[in-house]
Amino acid sequence: MLNFNIRGENIEVTPAIRDHVEGKVEKVARYFNEEIQATANVNLKVYNDRQTKVEVTIPMKNLTLRAEERNADMYAAVDLIVDKLERQIRKYKTKVNRKFREREGVAAFFATVDTSDASVGHSDEEEYNIVRTKQFDLKPMDQEEAVLQMNMLGHNFYIYTDADSNGTHIVYKRKDGKYGLIETN
């Protein structure tokens, strides 16, 4: 059973919004064999330009589902989120079934659901072919220099060795134009 944690930023979560979100997101439960015990974290945001953003994260034992969608209509964004979550489940289920047919572990977690949805234009059989491999030495630097290097190269991420901690870190450009930092242990 999915539990829901629905938060609103700059919007009141009315019973109608709550019912719509719960009714739509609950549909992903049909893809699992067992009754799933998870909490769907839903964040609804409304921006000054009346644009809405819906984020859904469902952490489970073997899998974390996450999707976000921006749309002028919040109800349409929720519908699109459910489509994204279903595509993620189908893609993951296909990969698991293909690679681990003889193992019962993760594959048994999913229910048998017809995934041949003609309305979805993405192939669930998508291959992840590595077409290029690069090797390079990581130069010790601070995060500001890493962001500068990333921007000079025109990339949206940059891997470097942190001069202070000697750990491998990654800086990346976010969709909102700001920067993020991933620190490894």
Side-chain angles (χ1 to χ4, degrees):
M1 175 173 164
L2 274 178
N3 297 312
F4 288 87
N5 177 15
I6 303 174
R7 285 186 43 231
E9 293 183 30
N10 299 328
I11 185 173
E12 179 187 347
V13 180
T14 64
I17 292 173
R18 179 176 294 282
D19 289 345
H20 184 75
V21 169
E22 289 179 2
K24 292 293 184 171
V25 176
E26 186 70 39
K27 289 181 180 181
V28 301
R30 70 185 174 121
Y31 287 94
F32 300 94
N33 281 339
E34 306 162 5
E35 182 88 11
I36 57 174
Q37 296 297 321
T39 299
N41 298 303
V42 182
N43 194 20
L44 309 171
K45 296 181 185 178
V46 176
Y47 296 100
N48 291 338
D49 62 356
R50 307 309 296 165
Q51 182 82 358
T52 64
K53 178 178 174 183
V54 178
E55 300 171 349
V56 176
T57 306
I58 307 173
M60 294 180 280
K61 178 182 172 189
N62 298 318
L63 170 72
T64 297
L65 299 172
R66 184 182 186 290
E68 67 179 58
E69 185 66 42
R70 288 178 182 253
N71 198 306
D73 179 9
M74 184 180 315
Y75 290 96
V78 171
D79 294 346
L80 293 169
I81 284 277
V82 172
D83 292 343
K84 283 184 177 183
L85 293 172
E86 288 178 336
R87 277 196 304 272
Q88 286 178 19
I89 293 169
R90 284 194 299 268
K91 183 182 285 187
Y92 186 76
K93 181 179 177 183
T94 300
K95 295 279 183 198
V96 166
N97 284 339
R98 186 180 329 134
K99 291 187 179 195
F100 304 107
R101 289 192 202 284
E102 65 279 357
R103 286 180 38 196
E104 285 279 317
V106 177
F109 186 60
F110 292 102
T112 304
V113 175
D114 181 20
T115 58
S116 58
D117 187 354
S119 68
V120 178
H122 301 286
S123 171
D124 290 336
E125 295 295 323
E126 178 181 331
E127 291 294 322
Y128 298 107
N129 294 326
I130 306 296
V131 296
R132 184 174 182 183
T133 301
K134 289 185 177 184
Q135 294 179 345
F136 55 93
D137 293 324
L138 298 178
K139 177 185 166 194
M141 62 181 71
D142 61 18
Q143 64 190 29
E144 288 81 14
E145 184 179 352
V147 170
L148 181 63
Q149 290 288 329
M150 176 183 66
N151 288 334
M152 286 183 1
L153 292 170
H155 292 175
N156 55 6
F157 71 95
Y158 189 80
I159 303 169
Y160 69 100
T161 299
D162 185 69
D164 295 331
S165 70
N166 207 28
T168 303
H169 294 170
I170 303 166
V171 291
Y172 61 96
K173 192 162 193 164
R174 296 168 38 98
K175 289 180 184 177
D176 62 7
K178 297 177 182 169
Y179 298 99
L181 174 67
I182 300 173
E183 299 176 335
T184 60
N185 293 329

